[in-house]
């Protein structure tokens, strides 16, 4: 039984990881072949993290 009173807990790190996994799944399903490491980095915005 769920707790009463709206005590929902959000783990922002977990939610971000789930979003990134979803983006990888979408990119992989749209690709004709396996994703290259560069493509994966692009989907995960790795270069943006390094610059920021």
């Amino acid at each position: 039984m769920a707790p009463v009173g709206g005590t929902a807990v959000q783990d922002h790190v977990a939610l971000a990881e789930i979003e990134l996994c979803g983006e990888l799944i979408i990119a992989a399903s749209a690709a004709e072949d396996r994703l290259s490491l560069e493509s994966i980095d692009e989907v995960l915005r790795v270069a943006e993290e390094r610059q920021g």
Side-chain angles (χ1 to χ4, degrees):
M1 186 168 176
V4 179
T7 58
V9 177
Q10 288 190 356
D11 183 340
H12 297 286
V13 174
L15 292 173
E17 289 178 2
I18 291 167
E19 182 178 343
L20 290 174
C21 287
E23 290 178 19
L24 275 176
I25 291 168
I26 292 167
S29 66
E32 293 182 14
D33 203 4
R34 296 179 79 171
L35 293 175
S36 67
L37 294 177
E38 292 81 14
S39 296
I40 293 170
D41 285 350
E42 185 178 324
V43 171
L44 297 178
R45 298 181 290 270
V46 173
E48 292 175 16
E49 288 293 320
R50 289 182 184 157
Q51 293 173 358

